[in-house]
Amino acid sequence: MEIRIRDRILNIPIVQGGMGVGVSLGGLAGAVAAEGGMGTISMVGIGYREEDFYKNFTNSCIRAYKKELEKAKEIAKGRGLIAANLMSVVEDYDQLEEAILDSEIDAVVVGAGLPLNLPKNNIKKKLLAPIVSGKRALDVIVRSWKRRYDTLPDFVILEGKGAGGHLGFGLEELDDDKVNLPSLAKDVADYLKGIFDDTGISIPFFVAGSVMDAEDLKTYLDIGASGLQIGTRFLATHEADVHENMKKKVVESTSKDLRIIKSPVGIYGRALANRFLEELEEGRIPPKRCVNCLKPCEPKTTNFCIQEKLVQTARGDVENGLVFCGSRVDEINEILSVRQVIDRVLGVE
């Protein structure tokens, strides 16, 4: 079931989703790549374990990224592909993008906004992919990249509203049954087929948003997708770099614990209920430290500091931190190995 992405080969139709802070690091990314998939290192707050994280935020993240990439490559031993995930709304986007494009990474995946300038500095020809919530956003990106840089995305991640973390949907869309992943996938498949018919260039796309088993894989392969991007299910694996408390929180939670919150970037997100979210319902939680991480965020008025809360979770405080999670948490009731998760998605276990 090999997938060709430009001049690279993905051995299995599985991409591991980017999850920050401290979730998608070298251990998990390397383990997924070692199985022939695409492992992903998230750049979001990746330097939180560096001593100068709060004094030299950007530089600490770049140093940590290089360490995690080296770790992932050592684990993968040349198998699969390794990607870096970046959000377009981060304040230091340009510096982080430069560091990624200059590294020995296979692919760059960008979400939380439209990465209209991503191809500009891609001198080393890394694989480039946007994360989109549907055909409309993809069309804007494709038209911009083609007009300005005479290029197209090498692959696409379609992320539906069942995902954990930031969601590319408004509240009304989250409650609208007509906005569902199969219909979004069909629209994107038809759109990309049109590009192939016009240019002869095939652009693979991977479906994300609480997809996690062999039935999901068959559903979206039949629609025309190339495979799945999986996030939360990989979080609860032995190889995941995240703190054991977060794995335990995910395994023990049910759908009744899911909450929709509004993050400081003005985007809705899905997270698990805890003490922090209870306090947030009572009113604003002023940031204790600001590293100026997000462009739209105003520290004096923001409802909470997302970096601060994600770091707390990464360090094991899952009651006072922010725990992002996909909508099908009910189905995650044990910690498995990366290989076990992949085998179940491929239908061989």
Side-chain angles (χ1 to χ4, degrees), residues 168-238:
F169 301 88
L171 279 180
E172 291 184 1
E173 292 175 306
L174 292 176
D175 290 331
D176 187 350
D177 291 338
K178 293 180 181 179
V179 181
N180 60 76
L181 195 49
S183 64
L184 293 172
K186 178 65 166 58
D187 288 344
V188 168
D190 291 343
Y191 179 82
L192 293 177
K193 182 179 183 301
I195 290 178
F196 178 77
D197 291 342
D198 290 341
T199 66
I201 298 173
S202 177
I203 302 176
F205 83 98
F206 299 84
V207 174
S210 277
V211 290
M212 55 193 298
D213 56 32
E215 184 177 346
D216 292 324
L217 180 60
K218 182 180 185 307
T219 293
Y220 293 106
L221 289 179
D222 288 347
I223 287 174
S226 304
L228 305 179
Q229 176 183 275
I230 297 171
T232 305
R233 176 61 271 193
F234 277 130
L235 187 161
T237 57
H238 299 297

Side-chain angles (χ1 to χ4, degrees), residues 6 21 26 68 74 82 88 106 129 140 199-200 209 237-238 243 251 283 318 340:
R6 198 174 3 113
V21 173
E68 296 301 329
E74 183 178 337
I82 300 174
S88 63
D106 295 301
V140 172
T199 66
T237 57
H238 299 297
H243 197 283
V251 167
V318 295
Q340 285 176 306

Side-chain angles (χ1 to χ4, degrees), residues 331-342:
E331 299 173 45
I332 303 174
N333 49 34
E334 60 182 328
I335 298 174
L336 302 174
S337 69
V338 163
R339 173 167 288 185
Q340 285 176 306
V341 171
I342 289 175

